[in-house]
Amino acid sequence: MIPEEDVKVAIIGGGAGGMAAASRIKRLRPDWRVDVFEKTSYVSHAPCGIPFYLSGMVESISELCAYDVNFFREKRGINVHLNSEVVKVEDGRVEVLERGKVQEYEWDRLVFATGAKAKRLNVRCMELDGVLCVSGIERAPIIREIASKYDNIVIIGSGYIGVEVADALSRKKRITVIEQESHPMPGYDHEISDILLGEMRQRVNLRLGERVLEISGSGRVEKVVTSADEYRADLVILAIGVEPNVKLALEYGIEMGQSGAIKTNEYMETSKNGVYAVGDCAETTNIITGKPDWIPLAAPANKMGYVAGSNIAGIRMKFPGAMKSQITSFYDLEIGKAGLSEKEAVRHGYDAVSVTITTRSRAKYIPGEGNITLKMVADAKTHRVLGVQAIGKGVSKRIYGASALLYKKATVEDFFFADFPFYPPKSPVWDPLVLAARNMFRKLGIS
Amino acid sequence: MIPEEDVKVAIIGGGAGGMAAASRIKRLRPDWRVDVFEKTSYVSHAPCGIPFYLSGMVESISELCAYDVNFFREKRGINVHLNSEVVKVEDGRVEVLERGKVQEYEWDRLVFATGAKAKRLNVRCMELDGVLCVSGIERAPIIREIASKYDNIVIIGSGYIGVEVADALSRKKRITVIEQESHPMPGYDHEISDILLGEMRQRVNLRLGERVLEISGSGRVEKVVTSADEYRADLVILAIGVEPNVKLALEYGIEMGQSGAIKTNEYMETSKNGVYAVGDCAETTNIITGKPDWIPLAAPANKMGYVAGSNIAGIRMKFPGAMKSQITSFYDLEIGKAGLSEKEAVRHGYDAVSVTITTRSRAKYIPGEGNITLKMVADAKTHRVLGVQAIGKGVSKRIYGASALLYKKATVEDFFFADFPFYPPKSPVWDPLVLAARNMFRKLGIS
């Protein structure tokens, strides 16, 4: 099963997944030629860091890149082509627009790591100055520049990115956040997002249940018109989600999954022999449901790259999927989720039961604010836990614990008996995860 | 299988395990009579909170009790007898020294929840004033009182309690810590305890590899003499560990386990019919090794009480054991462990391999100190992870994640693929647990 010598690998996209694949291949097969074609002038870029750049916590945009391009070129021997756009893919060759002209490169193995792109709003006047997306890191300096000069900032969308950007900018500016759903963070159930809603109302002008109809201005943006009202805007930040960037793969005839991302198997192989897909452009398996899912997050992207790279280099390895484990925060509230919300569980056909508790995140005799609200969702038939969401203090460690147990398809009994550490300043003797499981026993009629 | 009506339950000891059992029984069988005999004047006391009382973070000793005795009496209907010492156990009856005279109580089910007691040093002059143990909470006010008046405090032992008390008192006082091993926290491997050692040297007079030979003075303590030197002492705090409190059970003829604690099965039943043991006096199963072990910690004690209570009340439930998951801290260092250290793994006969990494606990572009050193120990044959230890920043969440995976007998591959959340201010895209697993792949020859 050892592949032939002198294999040429082409990787389209130099983000997390692409660079992880390239690095893995060069480690296992130092003599192979690995070309990475990256449209922007950054590699290994971390769009998840943009909110911290916008807040000023991170000074320079270049710090958001895990490594400099020279690291990949010199230390790892990868041929990184910056500002190079692949314009055509054919069997065994790609055409690349590089320094003003089209170059041709041959490949024996190909990796699509083309990432995701920000969704656009289907409204008029999107082309005005001052209307920007938080997706690639290239535009982030422009957002920071405009945000520093003007006062009226409108953020459209209140998913993770919208909330993080609102946090980052609202410390100095008047922020309006527009969300078409009834609650911020629509991926969460209301027991959790109600608490976020309360905090956001104190920090920003939060407009819920409003649909954006128009973004208008002459030359540059002046206002955002919604189904309910209109808002002055010197800067509009679009954060309504992303979609997989699959144009090239489609043109090449690669099969797509139900999610609209590139269909892959456990080895990260696509429908064509020798062609792989990783990261935000690739579909994978949802570990909870066992069904195909699109999970555009950085940590799984890196692992997909690692797995694809291993397989390309001749070490068979399976990627088991992901489950959208996430943590974020808004001011003093930590917010996190692993697995499914109750509404997602119902949508997937589970006989879902849930428990929501509000309790101390640490021993009650330790002074200071320390509440956490935690919701656990389980399947009534199998007692398997399907998801955990939490908001308040000490959320990270519970989402770590929950992610680990969910990964191992744990039941409510497992959540009760898993031996989490007790340390008064950090955790109470009955951990919130254990308390939730204990309450779930009653719901399930176990005791 | 429903037990008869009018069952009388006697519980010896009102700590975490005893009160958890009592509460559980009364919830399921409100009509049963449940007597709890507690030697001290506190119930549901939390000795783990003593260091935070000594530091002054917790003002009053009564705050360390999870609940007041009236809560248990009035809300839960438990007959709690304070200052009541069981002096004799016989089939169906106990004799209790209560308010100066011996009373007799009948029982149909009996629970030993007699806890642990501080180990004593086998040296002369233990009976001097100013020589105290950190075990029961009753003595804690005396320690705080003496510590506030005098300057020279010697702590003997540097396990969790010794380290936490040293942290609590060294902010205002000159502290000497004497440890007979070469490193503080002997339960940890040196890759971890070396870092703690460096920090402790800056905060206290840390004396390693010294055996205490004598504690001397006239009337009250004046000095501690060790194998290497002698130290002035106005207060000596003994923190050399605990041992199970099993005198009554032994006298009654209950079988002990190899650990010296009361032997129990999965239902927390002892060798005598209708007699249970829970908490620090009971032996249980080590989830990692599968062997009997003595794990005197508060979180498992509560769960043992819950399980024994369930079984007594007629709901069959198994206690799977524990694994000594723990977190503590010393100044800015968080320290934690789940499962076995490498030396423990070797002692148990595993073909142990280990990886130690020092990496960022969060995204590298987030400013501030953020290193974590993490050691993973695995079995070379099965790839099963046997333990994780960590020190530095962001330790809790990794010990939560590790505890959960270890509970499910996870392999190195599971640690690599478990989908931990990525959030730049809290965790890097390659989590330390995942990085350690990736390095372990190489050690194990997986890739």
Side-chain angles (χ1 to χ4, degrees):
Chain A
M1 278 297 298
I2 308 288
E4 65 275 32
E5 297 304 305
D6 270 343
V7 170
K8 289 186 283 302
V9 182
I11 297 177
I12 309 176
M19 294 319 294
S23 300
R24 183 74 180 140
I25 296 165
K26 287 298 284 188
R27 166 180 281 276
L28 296 171
R29 296 288 181 170
D31 296 337
W32 286 10
R33 179 186 169 99
V34 176
D35 288 287
V36 174
F37 304 103
E38 167 58 36
K39 235 175 12 180
T40 74
S41 45
Y42 300 96
V43 280
S44 188
H45 34 67
C48 323
I50 292 175
F52 313 100
Y53 167 78
L54 294 181
S55 74
M57 184 196 281
V58 176
E59 272 186 38
S60 148
I61 196 76
S62 63
E63 294 173 46
L64 296 186
C65 297
Y67 293 103
D68 183 76
V69 65
N70 292 320
F71 170 84
F72 289 108
R73 285 176 177 155
E74 288 155 25
K75 299 275 179 220
R76 298 199 172 162
I78 301 164
N79 299 325
V80 182
H81 306 246
L82 294 182
N83 306 303
S84 299
E85 186 177 358
V86 175
V87 289
K88 191 166 188 188
V89 179
E90 291 180 351
D91 290 349
R93 55 187 285 282
V94 288
E95 289 178 12
V96 183
L97 184 61
E98 209 172 0
R99 274 173 266 116
K101 57 180 185 209
V102 173
Q103 311 268 0
E104 227 185 86
Y105 294 87
E106 293 185 345
W107 57 264
D108 303 300
R109 304 282 185 281
L110 179 70
V111 180
F112 282 97
T114 43
K117 60 186 182 199
K119 274 193 201 154
R120 312 291 292 183
L121 267 176
N122 192 18
V123 299
R124 279 191 296 166
C125 297
M126 287 293 299
E127 301 309 313
L128 293 169
D129 283 353
V131 181
L132 291 155
C133 305
V134 190
S135 63
I137 67 173
E138 296 218 304
R139 293 272 188 92
I142 311 173
I143 297 180
R144 189 156 94 172
E145 172 73 13
I146 300 178
S148 72
K149 282 198 218 138
Y150 296 97
D151 280 331
N152 298 295
I153 300 173
V154 175
I155 298 170
I156 302 176
S158 71
Y160 284 97
I161 297 291
V163 166
E164 289 175 10
V165 172
D167 178 311
L169 298 178
S170 64
R171 293 170 195 253
K172 291 181 188 159
K173 300 288 176 175
R174 270 221 311 275
I175 304 290
T176 297
V177 175
I178 300 171
E179 168 61 54
Q180 64 178 2
E181 303 290 332
S182 67
H183 283 69
M185 292 273 215
Y188 286 71
D189 290 324
H190 293 177
E191 291 91 335
I192 303 295
S193 53
D194 272 341
I195 294 168
L196 173 62
L197 192 161
E199 180 70 19
M200 285 185 78
R201 284 224 191 280
Q202 295 181 39
R203 309 291 186 174
V204 301
N205 178 25
L206 179 63
R207 312 304 307 176
L208 297 167
E210 296 188 21
R211 212 154 43 79
V212 174
L213 300 178
E214 190 181 346
I215 299 173
S216 66
S218 51
R220 64 170 293 112
V221 67
E222 287 163 12
K223 66 178 180 182
V224 174
V225 183
T226 73
S227 49
D229 209 335
E230 56 180 66
Y231 307 95
R232 251 201 80 178
D234 306 311
L235 169 64
V236 174
I237 297 173
L238 284 178
I240 56 167
V242 291
E243 55 195 13
N245 209 347
V246 294
K247 186 166 166 285
L248 274 178
L250 272 173
E251 287 169 358
Y252 179 44
I254 299 280
E255 193 180 337
M256 297 296 134
Q258 298 158 324
S259 65
I262 300 170
K263 188 171 179 171
T264 60
N265 64 14
E266 288 171 310
Y267 304 102
M268 305 316 298
E269 294 165 340
T270 69
S271 58
K272 282 198 198 253
N273 215 355
V275 180
Y276 297 74
V278 302
D280 293 1
C281 68
E283 191 177 80
T284 183
T285 300
N286 185 308
I287 288 173
I288 308 297
T289 64
K291 298 180 202 161
D293 201 355
W294 180 55
I295 301 177
L297 291 169
N302 271 297
K303 293 180 189 171
M304 288 186 221
Y306 183 92
V307 168
S310 298
N311 288 316
I312 289 170
I315 292 182
R316 286 302 257 183
M317 189 177 263
K318 288 182 185 180
F319 182 69
M323 65 170 94
K324 301 185 191 174
S325 297
Q326 291 181 321
I327 309 173
T328 187
S329 66
F330 185 78
Y331 286 79
D332 290 339
L333 288 176
E334 276 188 80
I335 309 150
K337 184 184 174 200
L340 307 180
S341 66
E342 186 166 13
K343 61 192 171 197
E344 288 164 346
V346 169
R347 203 183 307 141
H348 282 285
Y350 290 101
D351 184 4
V353 286
S354 73
V355 157
T356 302
I357 58 169
T358 295
T359 182
R360 298 276 302 178
S361 169
R362 52 197 184 207
K364 70 173 185 174
Y365 48 81
I366 301 294
E369 252 315 306
N371 273 356
I372 183 172
T373 295
L374 187 143
K375 178 168 180 177
M376 178 178 284
V377 181
D379 180 38
K381 258 197 293 290
T382 60
H383 295 184
R384 193 178 151 198
V385 177
L386 302 171
V388 170
Q389 303 157 71
I391 187 165
K393 293 285 181 195
V395 166
S396 307
K397 61 176 87 77
R398 276 76 197 209
I399 298 301
Y400 266 68
S403 296
L405 284 174
L406 287 169
Y407 178 78
K408 295 296 286 178
K409 303 190 172 18
T411 61
V412 176
E413 289 84 347
D414 292 326
F415 271 76
F416 182 78
F417 283 118
D419 192 11
F420 294 115
F422 161 49
Y423 176 54
K426 298 269 178 187
S427 58
V429 65
W430 288 102
D431 193 83
L433 288 168
V434 176
L435 272 189
R438 199 177 68 179
N439 290 6
M440 190 68 92
F441 283 172
R442 279 176 226 151
K443 266 248 160 97
L444 294 172
I446 297 177
S447 69
Chain B
M1 275 298 297
I2 308 286
E4 64 275 35
E5 296 304 307
D6 269 344
V7 171
K8 290 184 282 301
V9 182
I11 297 177
I12 310 176
M19 294 318 295
S23 300
R24 183 74 179 140
I25 296 165
K26 286 299 283 187
R27 167 178 281 276
L28 296 170
R29 296 286 182 173
D31 296 338
W32 286 12
R33 179 185 169 100
V34 176
D35 287 287
V36 175
F37 304 103
E38 167 58 35
K39 230 171 23 175
T40 74
S41 45
Y42 299 96
V43 279
S44 188
H45 35 69
C48 322
I50 292 175
F52 313 100
Y53 168 77
L54 295 181
S55 75
M57 186 197 279
V58 175
E59 272 185 39
S60 148
I61 197 74
S62 63
E63 294 174 45
L64 296 186
C65 297
Y67 293 102
D68 183 77
V69 65
N70 292 321
F71 170 83
F72 289 108
R73 285 175 177 155
E74 287 154 26
K75 298 277 179 214
R76 297 199 173 161
I78 301 164
N79 299 325
V80 182
H81 307 247
L82 293 182
N83 307 303
S84 299
E85 185 177 359
V86 175
V87 289
K88 190 165 188 189
V89 179
E90 292 180 350
D91 290 349
R93 56 187 284 282
V94 288
E95 290 178 11
V96 184
L97 184 61
E98 208 173 359
R99 275 174 264 116
K101 56 180 184 206
V102 174
Q103 311 267 0
E104 227 184 86
Y105 294 87
E106 293 184 345
W107 57 262
D108 303 299
R109 304 281 185 283
L110 179 70
V111 180
F112 282 97
T114 43
K117 58 185 181 200
K119 274 192 202 155
R120 311 292 292 184
L121 266 176
N122 193 16
V123 298
R124 279 191 296 167
C125 299
M126 286 296 299
E127 301 310 313
L128 293 168
D129 281 353
V131 180
L132 291 155
C133 304
V134 190
S135 63
I137 65 173
E138 295 218 303
R139 293 273 189 91
I142 310 173
I143 298 181
R144 189 156 97 172
E145 172 74 13
I146 299 179
S148 72
K149 283 201 217 135
Y150 295 98
D151 279 331
N152 298 294
I153 300 173
V154 176
I155 298 170
I156 301 176
S158 71
Y160 283 96
I161 297 292
V163 165
E164 289 174 9
V165 172
D167 178 311
L169 297 178
S170 64
R171 292 168 196 254
K172 291 184 189 157
K173 299 287 175 176
R174 270 219 314 274
I175 304 291
T176 296
V177 175
I178 298 172
E179 167 61 54
Q180 64 178 4
E181 304 289 332
S182 67
H183 282 70
M185 291 272 214
Y188 284 71
D189 291 323
H190 293 176
E191 293 91 334
I192 303 296
S193 53
D194 272 341
I195 295 169
L196 173 62
L197 192 160
E199 181 71 20
M200 285 185 78
R201 284 225 189 282
Q202 296 180 39
R203 309 291 185 175
V204 300
N205 177 26
L206 178 64
R207 312 304 308 175
L208 297 168
E210 295 186 23
R211 213 153 41 80
V212 174
L213 301 179
E214 190 182 345
I215 299 174
S216 67
S218 51
R220 63 172 293 111
V221 67
E222 286 163 16
K223 66 179 178 182
V224 175
V225 183
T226 73
S227 49
D229 209 334
E230 55 178 67
Y231 307 94
R232 252 202 80 177
D234 306 311
L235 169 64
V236 174
I237 297 174
L238 284 178
I240 57 167
V242 291
E243 54 195 15
N245 210 347
V246 294
K247 186 167 167 284
L248 273 179
L250 271 173
E251 288 168 358
Y252 180 44
I254 298 279
E255 193 181 338
M256 297 296 135
Q258 298 158 327
S259 65
I262 300 170
K263 189 171 178 171
T264 61
N265 64 14
E266 290 170 308
Y267 304 103
M268 305 316 299
E269 293 164 341
T270 69
S271 58
K272 283 199 196 253
N273 215 356
V275 180
Y276 297 75
V278 301
D280 293 1
C281 67
E283 192 177 79
T284 182
T285 300
N286 185 309
I287 288 174
I288 308 297
T289 65
K291 298 178 201 163
D293 200 355
W294 180 54
I295 301 176
L297 291 169
N302 270 297
K303 292 178 190 172
M304 288 186 223
Y306 183 92
V307 169
S310 299
N311 288 315
I312 289 170
I315 292 183
R316 285 304 257 183
M317 189 177 263
K318 289 182 184 181
F319 182 68
M323 64 169 97
K324 301 185 191 173
S325 298
Q326 290 182 322
I327 308 173
T328 186
S329 66
F330 185 78
Y331 286 79
D332 289 339
L333 287 176
E334 273 188 82
I335 309 150
K337 184 183 173 202
L340 306 181
S341 66
E342 188 168 10
K343 59 193 173 198
E344 288 164 346
V346 169
R347 202 183 308 142
H348 281 286
Y350 290 102
D351 184 4
V353 286
S354 73
V355 158
T356 303
I357 58 169
T358 296
T359 183
R360 298 277 300 178
S361 168
R362 53 197 184 205
K364 69 173 186 174
Y365 48 79
I366 302 295
E369 254 314 307
N371 274 355
I372 182 171
T373 295
L374 187 144
K375 179 168 179 177
M376 179 179 284
V377 179
D379 180 37
K381 261 197 292 291
T382 59
H383 295 183
R384 192 178 153 199
V385 177
L386 301 171
V388 170
Q389 303 158 71
I391 187 165
K393 292 285 181 195
V395 166
S396 309
K397 60 176 89 74
R398 275 76 198 208
I399 298 302
Y400 266 68
S403 298
L405 283 174
L406 286 169
Y407 178 79
K408 294 296 287 178
K409 303 190 170 20
T411 62
V412 176
E413 290 84 348
D414 292 325
F415 271 76
F416 181 77
F417 284 118
D419 192 12
F420 294 115
F422 161 49
Y423 176 54
K426 297 270 179 186
S427 59
V429 64
W430 288 102
D431 193 83
L433 289 168
V434 176
L435 272 188
R438 199 177 68 179
N439 290 6
M440 190 68 92
F441 283 171
R442 279 176 225 150
K443 266 250 160 97
L444 295 172
I446 298 177
S447 69

